[in-house]
Amino acid sequence: EFFRELLENAERSLNDMFVRTYGMLYMQNSEVFQDLFTELKRYYTGGNVNLEEMLNDFWARLLERMFQLINPQYHFSEDYLECVSKYTDQLKPFGDVPRKLKVQVTRAFIAARTFVQGLTVGREVANRVSKVSPTPGCIRALMKMLYCPYCRGLPTVKPCNNYCLNVMKGCLANQADLDTEWNLFIDAMLLVAERLEGPFNIESVMDPIDVKISEAIMNMQENSMQVSAKVFQGCGQPKPAPALRSSRSAPESFNTRFRPYNPEERPTTAAGTSLERLVTDIKEKLKLSKKFWSTLPYTICKDERVTAGPSVEEDCWNGHTKARYLPEIMNDGLTNQINNPEVDVDITRPDTFIRQQIMALRVMTNKLKNAYNGNDVNFQDTSDETSGSGSGSGCTDDICPTEFDFVTTEAPPVDSDRREVEASATQPGWSLQTLLVIFLSLVLQRQWR
């Protein structure tokens, strides 16, 4: 939302300022600027846009339009204007503005787009993993931990903390294998977040873009005589315009200098916040999500509604009676569950769906590293996709990063609460999400009884 509104603000600011400054001349050529923002938005939302080529094309088109305006006494054919555009780099009619703006825009948009795509992938991976069904062995172990105390006449005794940890580590063995790739992904996200705070962040680039483009136009005005002379020398002497047109001169309004830029006159901050505050908040949340998958058993088992707690080692349910739980706690991950005393885990059959999500994180991490280094990353073009390709993203109005080709669609879609319920109602078995809900409700039932 922030980035979308930032782009809208920048386009609106440029349009308002240029209408006031250049009047009808701008309005007659406004599509050049509108196309610039259209392409920037298309790139941000995942479109297959080459930023450098797009910006080069913008300056070439602007040169063609301005060259005609500063030379109204001549008639220029399409071929002649194409020749003019070839002199954009050689003549530098807009000064150093195009080069500086190209560096700023490409770095800012690469970082912003990749960061938001990273948030999308992280969310989708978490959503999909929460739909993975637990094994029968996990369900048996969970029910034994929660309900066997009743059979032994110990309804008030809660499971030992370490006993709970072995049960949950067995149940979440495949999920724990996400942890390594997830942590690398979070580290890469934090690196790209630094780019959002640096000198080339998208807010500092887009807010004054109208002023920068106007500076380029003024450079062209001031050097119009030299530019025209060199173009005539390279492209040939153009034909005079018809008599009616040759009597005109460039309108005075075109020579109006753009008012100096005052940093205090920045457009209204997008989405009711600033990029600095937004990034600081997101970075804190990202840091908290590190090691999420490996600490999930500990998060569940430290809940006093679930276990007796780490401090109670003797008066707790150990799976057989009210006593200390003696087996050692298993390490994290699938391969470490070979000797799990509580859950039967087949370590020779890793969950295929979890492995797909590990690969999704790995691919995204590589893209984030490229973006951090300023290298562009290619995403699926939204123009070739239906709206269904972004299910679960919560985005609207087609202004939203698309999903990647590598994100699988085996799990039920999660684009709305209603569809989640419908999907889960048609899927056999329990998901991890459902299991945890049932788990906590059973615990609460035990307490009530």
Side-chain angles (χ1 to χ4, degrees):
E1 179 189 1
F2 178 88
F3 290 139
R4 291 199 307 269
E5 198 167 312
L6 193 66
L7 290 173
E8 294 292 340
N9 283 353
E11 183 175 15
R12 184 165 51 249
S13 177
L14 182 142
N15 184 71
D16 292 346
M17 288 179 167
F18 276 39
V19 166
R20 290 198 305 268
T21 305
Y22 301 113
M24 189 58 68
L25 278 175
Y26 164 70
M27 289 186 276
Q28 290 172 345
N29 298 278
S30 61
E31 75 275 7
V32 175
F33 303 91
Q34 290 169 358
D35 290 347
L36 169 66
F37 282 96
T38 297
E39 288 300 287
L40 287 174
K41 291 174 189 174
R42 192 163 75 86
Y43 173 85
Y44 173 71
T45 57
N48 187 19
V49 177
N50 185 306
L51 282 177
E52 291 195 10
E53 289 181 4
M54 183 272 291
L55 290 169
N56 290 340
D57 183 59
F58 165 74
W59 293 112
R61 289 179 66 195
L62 187 57
L63 174 59
E64 289 179 13
R65 298 296 179 94
M66 287 197 62
F67 192 75
Q68 294 177 82
L69 291 172
I70 62 178
N71 293 287
Q73 67 274 31
Y74 296 108
H75 170 70
F76 300 102
S77 65
E78 290 296 324
D79 290 340
Y80 196 96
L81 291 175
E82 187 175 339
C83 178
V84 172
S85 67
K86 292 178 181 177
Y87 279 83
T88 308
D89 291 336
Q90 182 181 336
L91 297 177
K92 292 185 170 37
F94 300 110
D96 205 31
V97 175
R99 183 191 65 81
K100 289 181 178 178
L101 199 60
K102 184 189 296 185
V103 172
Q104 293 169 346
V105 168
T106 51
R107 289 190 184 183
F109 272 75
I110 287 170
R113 179 172 84 162
T114 311
F115 187 78
V116 173
Q117 289 282 5
L119 290 175
T120 302
V121 169
R123 182 192 60 238
E124 292 300 329
V125 166
N127 280 338
R128 289 184 167 95
V129 171
S130 74
K131 300 294 187 294
V132 174
S133 299
T135 63
C138 166
I139 296 172
R140 282 195 301 271
L142 193 58
M143 299 302 285
K144 175 185 174 183
M145 182 177 77
L146 289 173
Y147 279 100
C148 281
Y150 287 98
C151 306
R152 297 297 176 92
L154 303 170
T156 61
V157 179
K158 295 180 181 179
C160 299
N161 184 71
N162 290 352
Y163 174 33
C164 173
L165 284 175
N166 273 345
V167 170
M168 298 314 298
K169 286 198 174 196
C171 285
L172 301 173
N174 281 285
Q175 286 83 347
D177 283 347
L178 277 164
D179 215 50
T180 299
E181 205 61 53
W182 179 266
N183 292 339
L184 293 173
F185 162 73
I186 296 298
D187 287 339
M189 287 288 289
L190 290 170
L191 279 176
V192 176
E194 291 179 11
R195 293 288 186 246
L196 298 181
E197 297 175 305
F200 295 115
N201 76 72
I202 193 170
E203 187 174 33
S204 65
V205 169
M206 292 307 296
D207 273 359
I209 195 170
D210 47 7
V211 178
K212 293 174 183 177
I213 293 175
S214 185
E215 288 174 1
I217 291 173
M218 286 190 289
N219 283 329
M220 173 71 177
Q221 289 176 272
E222 292 169 357
N223 300 315
S224 59
M225 298 280 292
Q226 300 92 311
V227 170
S228 297
K230 289 182 179 178
V231 169
F232 293 161
Q233 183 180 358
C235 298
Q237 190 68 22
K239 296 178 181 179
L244 180 64
R245 188 173 176 185
S246 63
S247 64
R248 301 182 194 169
S249 60
E252 189 177 342
S253 62
F254 181 73
N255 294 318
T256 304
R257 294 187 65 85
F258 200 77
R259 62 188 176 87
Y261 175 63
N262 184 348
E264 296 178 359
E265 296 175 0
R266 292 163 66 129
T268 304
T269 307
T273 185
S274 69
L275 184 61
E276 182 181 358
R277 289 198 298 270
L278 190 66
V279 173
T280 299
D281 182 54
I282 292 177
K283 282 171 64 177
E284 289 305 310
K285 288 181 169 63
L286 287 171
K287 290 174 183 176
L288 289 173
S289 72
K290 282 197 73 171
K291 298 185 178 179
F292 171 78
W293 304 103
S294 61
T295 58
L296 194 53
Y298 297 89
T299 304
I300 295 171
C301 294
K302 75 178 181 181
D303 192 323
E304 61 182 11
R305 295 172 299 174
V306 179
T307 68
S311 60
V312 182
E313 296 184 356
E314 302 294 341
D315 299 328
C316 56
W317 171 250
N318 66 6
H320 302 282
T321 187
K322 180 182 176 181
R324 177 187 291 267
Y325 182 76
L326 298 177
E328 64 175 330
I329 301 174
M330 298 293 100
N331 289 324
D332 303 318
L334 184 64
T335 57
N336 291 315
Q337 306 309 310
I338 186 170
N339 294 317
N340 190 310
E342 310 305 335
V343 186
D344 293 328
V345 182
D346 186 352
I347 67 168
T348 64
R349 299 181 62 187
D351 187 281
T352 304
F353 189 72
I354 295 290
R355 303 300 146 179
Q356 290 172 345
Q357 304 315 305
I358 291 173
M359 182 55 65
L361 290 171
R362 188 170 299 158
V363 171
M364 189 65 237
T365 299
N366 288 333
K367 292 179 182 293
L368 288 163
K369 289 178 179 177
N370 280 329
Y372 176 75
N373 293 323
N375 299 321
D376 206 353
V377 285
N378 294 319
F379 296 107
Q380 200 171 298
D381 192 340
T382 53
S383 63
D384 297 331
E385 296 299 316
T386 62
S387 59
S389 65
S391 64
S393 62
C395 303
T396 58
D397 299 326
D398 297 326
I399 307 296
C400 178
T402 57
E403 303 291 356
F404 301 102
D405 289 328
F406 62 77
V407 176
T408 60
T409 55
E410 270 186 52
V414 290
D415 57 332
S416 71
D417 292 339
R418 180 181 60 81
R419 287 175 64 183
E420 281 190 34
V421 171
E422 290 176 355
S424 63
T426 59
Q427 293 291 323
W430 293 349
S431 69
L432 170 61
Q433 200 174 52
T434 307
L435 178 65
L436 294 179
V437 171
I438 293 173
F439 181 34
L440 289 176
S441 65
L442 291 176
V443 169
L444 291 173
Q445 286 178 21
R446 291 180 81 255
Q447 282 192 316
W448 182 79
R449 290 176 183 176

